[in-house]
Amino acid sequence: IVPSPLSGNTVAMQNTGFIEFPFSACAKVDSSSPRLENFYKKLSTEGTSKHVQGGAVNTTPFDQSVDSVQILLKTDGRHLKARIELLQGPNNLKQSFEVYSSNGYKRPFMAVIETPKDGNVIRIVNTAPLEYPLEATVEPYIVGSSSDDEGMTWAG
């Protein structure tokens, strides 16, 4: 899920991996989704943001009960240039997203990323120069909805 505020937005998906590892991608516009209406407002007001200077790294670990996380990256109106990484275990990169916005205040980046299993860490790398800080909010989105016991309740 990648909400895009305002109008005239473009989402580019590019595989930077080897030719032996292709991927399929699609984009679907769903402007009527009630979950997306207040996504930015709720995450901005209720989430805890962290100031990340240009060139700095911020990590946020999550418990195994967290099935997905919501991420909001914004600036005070300057360029937003960052890399979002999903790590599982120490320096074991599972997914990576490069993000750019010409105005991180009018067009912040918001996304929901699935975090299956345990040992997940979201790493935010501000790839912009020192003069371009960003505010990063990373919070659980869905907690405890998946289970390995296929709906069975175990008595202890």
Side-chain angles (χ1 to χ4, degrees):
I1 300 173
V2 181
S4 54
L6 304 175
S7 63
N9 295 299
T10 301
V11 175
M13 294 174 262
Q14 179 180 5
N15 186 353
T16 58
F18 297 106
I19 195 169
E20 292 86 5
F21 301 107
F23 74 91
S24 298
C26 69
K28 177 184 173 190
V29 177
D30 186 11
S31 59
S32 63
S33 175
R35 292 182 357 185
L36 297 179
E37 289 178 13
N38 296 317
F39 186 89
Y40 175 76
K41 185 185 288 184
K42 184 175 181 181
L43 198 53
S44 291
T45 57
E46 296 178 13
T48 304
S49 66
K50 297 178 184 175
H51 188 80
V52 183
Q53 287 289 359
V57 177
N58 177 273
T59 57
T60 307
F62 287 96
D63 187 70
Q64 68 180 10
S65 65
V66 177
D67 295 326
S68 62
V69 296
Q70 50 191 344
I71 299 170
L72 169 64
L73 301 180
K74 62 182 181 177
T75 67
D76 59 358
R78 300 175 190 192
H79 294 292
L80 170 65
K81 191 173 179 185
R83 187 171 61 246
I84 301 169
E85 299 172 340
L86 172 61
L87 305 170
Q88 195 171 50
N91 289 326
N92 185 9
L93 183 64
K94 292 296 182 181
Q95 293 180 16
S96 178
F97 307 90
E98 292 194 23
V99 177
Y100 174 78
S101 175
S102 61
N103 185 329
Y105 180 76
K106 288 184 179 178
R107 296 182 187 274
F109 177 80
M110 300 170 277
V112 174
I113 300 173
E114 291 185 12
T115 55
K117 302 188 180 182
D118 61 346
N120 290 304
V121 174
I122 296 293
R123 179 165 57 192
I124 307 291
V125 181
N126 187 347
T127 56
L130 181 65
E131 297 82 15
Y132 295 93
L134 63 84
E135 295 295 321
T137 306
V138 182
E139 298 284 337
Y141 185 65
I142 297 176
V143 179
S145 70
S146 68
S147 61
D148 294 335
D149 57 16
E150 300 178 358
M152 299 175 68
T153 303
W154 298 95

